[in-house]
Amino acid sequence: MVSYWAGWSLTTRSCSKRTIDDIPVGSLTHLNLAFAYIEPNTFEIVPMPRTSDDVFSQITNLKQKAPGLKIWISLGGWTYSDNGTDTQPVWGDLARTSENRFKFAANLHKFMKTWGFDGVDLVSESQDDMHERQPLT
């Protein structure tokens, strides 16, 4: 079973407080941390606003409780598709040249090795997508 953990929930939720230790890792095969950000000019992987890199080590330390657990980092989110944000052009800029792609890949590899992530989930979505969805029933 795959699950996502909203990294910002540690600092922005005023109700239903949960900690990383509340994650039922015994029933999971994969856990994705949403999100880390890609710096627009350097393509370095950084914590999303209002979070810190502490969440990276807290999440990857869960592998001590569940040794078979694979932990992935999710990069992107709706601000990478939403016009008017400094992150909106990142996906296009990153893909534009082989130099940019190499820089991103090198930064991603360093980030994953530093923090112990097993994979990456590249997320491109928009806020409009959320409003246009129809109920399934």
Side-chain angles (χ1 to χ4, degrees):
M1 175 181 282
V2 178
S3 183
Y4 278 79
W5 176 265
W8 65 89
S9 68
L10 295 172
T11 58
T12 60
R13 286 195 177 161
S14 59
C15 63
S16 188
K17 290 268 188 196
R18 299 278 189 253
T19 69
I20 289 173
D21 289 327
D22 293 324
I23 299 171
V25 293
S27 61
L28 301 177
T29 60
H30 292 75
L31 178 63
N32 288 20
L33 172 63
F35 294 96
Y37 273 16
I38 305 166
E39 280 290 331
N41 297 319
T42 64
F43 305 123
E44 290 184 42
I45 314 305
V46 298
M48 66 182 300
R50 295 185 305 267
T51 65
S52 73
D53 55 8
D54 291 341
V55 73
F56 301 146
S57 59
Q58 290 174 2
I59 284 284
T60 55
N61 284 342
L62 288 174
K63 290 192 266 185
Q64 294 173 3
K65 289 170 59 175
L69 181 65
K70 300 296 181 195
I71 300 182
W72 288 30
I73 186 69
S74 295
L75 299 177
W78 71 264
T79 62
Y80 284 73
S81 302
D82 194 36
N83 291 332
T85 63
D86 63 340
T87 52
Q88 186 274 333
V90 167
W91 292 126
D93 292 346
L94 186 150
R96 187 161 286 117
T97 67
S98 60
E99 179 182 333
N100 287 355
R101 292 188 300 272
F102 180 84
K103 186 186 301 184
F104 169 70
N107 288 338
L108 178 59
H109 183 260
K110 178 182 174 188
F111 171 86
M112 291 175 66
K113 290 295 181 190
T114 298
W115 297 107
F117 285 94
D118 301 300
V120 63
D121 174 32
L122 303 177
V123 180
S124 178
E125 60 186 39
S126 72
Q127 258 189 329
D128 290 338
D129 291 343
M130 303 303 283
H131 298 294
E132 293 172 9
R133 291 186 182 150
Q134 298 298 317
L136 297 175
T137 58

